[in-house]
Amino acid sequence: MDRPSAVERALREAAPHEIFDVLRSLIERRHHARSVELLMADYAMTRLQPVGVLPHTGSPVSAYESAPGRAFGAQEPHCVRDSSASTVTVHLPVSVRGDRLGVLSVTLPVGEGGETEAQVLEDLQECADALAHEVVVAERDTDVFLQARRAERLTLAAEMQWQLLPGRSCARPEYSIGAQLEPAYAIFGDSFDWSSYPDDLYLTVSNGMGEGIDAALLTNLAVNSLRNARRAGLDLAGQAYLADQAIHGQHRGERYLSTLLLRFHLPTGDVEIIDAGSPRLWRLRRGAVEAIDLEPQMPLGMFEDTAYVPQHFEVEPGDRLLFISDGVYDALSPGGERYSVHALARSITGTSLLPASQVPRAMLRELLGHRGSSPAADDCLVMCLDWHGRRATG
């Protein structure tokens, strides 16, 4: 009997581009499956696309209005029965540490095998979980899964930007994060980053100036400078200073980057923050939406030897923080009407019941309704962080 330990071992031993083929064979043999399909979420998080040899075989489905989309959205298995064919199709979320990658769809004959339905679901979900971990590792060595995420060709700048990102969502007991960039296939300079430590979460949200390759190169320099400083053990002010010097040394103040830098202390909820000409920060607490006022400091790279001074505020369990770039605030309707702060506050309130991973996509969908079919004049970035807090032990 192929159990998850055997599945994990088989996936680890498979060539990177063959891990899904290996899993499909194992499931077909173990459960007599009629079909097994892996659907990957595209960059815009609107479609689920089949993994296969290019050009893709099969058709994409909606990430919202479809049976696989229900499993993707709820992050729970969803079963669809076909009595005429005596089959049941099980759609299972493929996610790792809160990052939603796609859906594994398995069509099974009804009434065969000696296991109960609950045992089969448990086994298949463990297979999907094992696959998720291996996909993340395999993406270092194969393009198969990255290609499946593309509904259209990315611009070169967008390719560079997407390769910088840590993921589009993540979760730990203390917090949940979701983030999204639009237009997904032609990003300019916006970016985000996060890194988890035993007692800290570091998070940055950046709004780079310029367009195309110039914007992507500037953002790459900034993000990697911040990572280099963080991994060297520098505090938040030191990270900002090093990135500021790197950008100024390269561009002499002609190009710069607006950034929010944050460090969350997980045991206490204390937040250390530097507002370097940043995107804006909002908080939803007990149903009330408020902007968090910060003392603005110089963008990274604008002047030489800028000294950055952190500020502090506290988060409480149940708080939701929204990080929003100026591409959202400045979006214009076809009639020239600017997307207002009031409309943004309504959008924050209207998505309050959604999990953090789904909030950015929902808010950007509302923004698209305001902007209409006209092309975006700038990147739009939304990041949502739900703070749960650390439970006391002992």
Side-chain angles (χ1 to χ4, degrees):
M1 208 190 286
D2 291 317
R3 280 328 206 181
S5 59
V7 170
E8 291 167 3
R9 186 165 55 251
L11 293 181
R12 286 196 297 268
E13 293 173 355
H17 62 280
E18 293 179 338
I19 59 173
F20 172 59
D21 295 328
V22 168
L23 182 71
R24 177 168 51 201
S25 296
L26 288 171
I27 293 176
E28 288 174 346
R29 186 167 63 251
R30 168 70 181 87
H31 295 291
H32 309 290
R34 303 279 178 86
S35 67
V36 183
E37 187 174 42
L38 174 60
L39 304 169
M40 301 291 291
D42 85 314
Y43 285 100
M45 299 291 279
T46 59
R47 304 165 70 174
L48 297 169
Q49 306 201 133
V51 170
V53 179
L54 293 177
H56 296 307
T57 57
S59 301
V61 299
S62 169
Y64 304 98
E65 300 172 354
S66 66
R70 289 189 61 177
F72 183 72
Q75 288 295 284
E76 294 179 353
H78 176 64
C79 299
V80 179
R81 301 182 184 278
D82 185 343
S83 56
S84 63
S86 297
T87 61
V88 58
T89 300
V90 184
H91 304 286
L92 307 117
V94 177
S95 304
V96 54
R97 295 188 177 91
D99 193 11
R100 302 182 300 162
L101 306 180
V103 173
L104 181 68
S105 297
V106 182
T107 299
L108 304 167
V110 175
E112 293 188 20
E115 295 179 305
T116 66
E117 183 174 307
Q119 289 174 321
V120 172
L121 280 176
E122 181 181 3
D123 187 69
L124 290 177
Q125 186 59 69
E126 289 176 334
C127 289
D129 294 340
L131 177 62
H133 282 269
E134 291 304 319
V135 164
V136 171
V137 175
E139 285 183 346
R140 300 179 307 177
D141 302 307
T142 180
D143 291 332
V144 167
F145 304 103
L146 291 171
Q147 287 173 326
R149 297 186 183 199
R150 301 170 187 222
E152 57 188 87
R153 183 173 178 175
L154 274 70
T155 64
L156 179 55
E159 184 86 48
M160 295 169 66
Q161 297 291 80
W162 280 110
Q163 292 303 307
L164 271 182
L165 302 180
R168 282 174 289 183
S169 55
C170 73
R172 271 187 61 176
E174 297 89 350
Y175 60 83
S176 302
I177 300 176
Q180 179 63 21
L181 286 166
E182 286 292 336
Y185 294 90
I187 308 166
F188 298 135
D190 287 3
S191 187
F192 55 84
D193 194 23
W194 59 66
S195 182
S196 176
Y197 289 76
D199 285 331
D200 295 295
L201 166 68
Y202 286 91
L203 188 151
T204 61
V205 181
S206 302
N207 182 10
M209 67 179 297
E211 299 181 3
I213 297 299
D214 288 339
L217 289 171
L218 176 64
T219 303
N220 268 260
L221 175 60
V223 170
N224 282 294
S225 297
L226 290 168
R227 287 175 176 172
N228 177 256
R230 185 183 71 226
R231 293 165 183 170
L234 275 65
D235 60 14
L236 208 63
Q239 294 172 29
Y241 181 81
L242 188 146
D244 175 70
Q245 292 300 289
I247 297 170
H248 188 273
Q250 183 70 27
H251 297 288
R252 314 309 301 177
E254 295 180 1
R255 303 184 70 81
Y256 46 84
L257 192 94
S258 298
T259 306
L260 268 180
L261 298 90
L262 302 97
R263 180 188 68 85
F264 292 80
H265 188 232
L266 302 181
T268 64
D270 176 71
V271 183
E272 183 182 13
I273 183 169
I274 293 174
D275 179 355
S278 67
R280 302 188 197 179
L281 175 58
W282 293 72
R283 177 170 57 204
L284 177 64
R285 174 178 287 176
R286 291 186 286 273
V289 179
E290 59 179 336
I292 295 181
D293 293 325
L294 301 166
E295 180 182 344
Q297 302 178 62
M298 293 298 104
L300 302 180
M302 180 173 280
F303 297 107
E304 190 173 11
D305 292 326
T306 302
Y308 292 93
V309 180
Q311 299 174 253
H312 291 263
F313 67 94
E314 301 283 337
V315 285
E316 301 175 357
D319 281 357
R320 168 168 287 180
L321 300 180
L322 280 302
F323 307 84
I324 300 168
S325 71
D326 59 6
V328 176
Y329 292 96
D330 295 339
L332 300 177
S333 70
E337 180 183 358
R338 194 176 302 277
Y339 194 69
S340 68
V341 170
H342 296 296
L344 180 61
R346 286 196 303 271
S347 180
I348 293 173
T349 303
T351 57
S352 61
L353 298 180
L354 293 176
S357 60
Q358 296 185 34
V359 169
R361 180 69 256 167
M363 291 183 65
L364 289 170
R365 199 161 55 234
E366 289 191 25
L367 177 68
L368 182 60
H370 168 84
R371 196 179 70 218
S373 59
S374 57
D378 195 3
D379 290 352
C380 297
L381 184 157
V382 175
M383 176 186 285
C384 176
L385 183 146
D386 283 348
W387 182 257
H388 313 308
R390 177 172 289 182
R391 294 181 180 180
T393 59

